[in-house]
Amino acid sequence: MPKMKTSKAAAKRFKATGTGKLKRSKAYKSHILTKKSTKRKRNLRQSAITDATNVKNMKKILPYI
């Protein structure tokens, strides 16, 4: 059986926590920032945990994380 390949696109976007959950950064923080409030932009800076509905697929494309 050959080694499984990690999706490099996903590997750059997700990191595993100590307990094995997947950490991700939030969307909507790249451009058109003038119309977004300071509070909203500040909250977008924090990382979030990947939703449980997506974890099964994420583990498949990130086999070694």
Side-chain angles (χ1 to χ4, degrees), residues 1-53:
M1 188 85 178
K3 288 192 277 185
M4 293 174 69
K5 280 199 171 182
T6 297
S7 167
K8 289 302 183 179
K12 292 169 188 173
R13 290 167 173 81
F14 296 91
K15 296 282 176 265
T17 62
T19 55
K21 294 178 182 174
L22 290 172
K23 194 167 71 168
R24 64 171 177 86
S25 56
K26 292 182 182 173
Y28 309 110
K29 184 71 171 71
S30 56
H31 62 106
I32 317 175
L33 297 172
T34 50
K35 64 174 79 168
K36 294 170 188 158
S37 69
T38 309
K39 180 182 177 182
R40 183 174 165 193
K41 289 185 283 190
R42 184 170 62 244
N43 286 330
L44 288 172
R45 273 185 229 143
Q46 275 102 45
S47 58
I49 300 295
T50 305
D51 194 64
T53 56

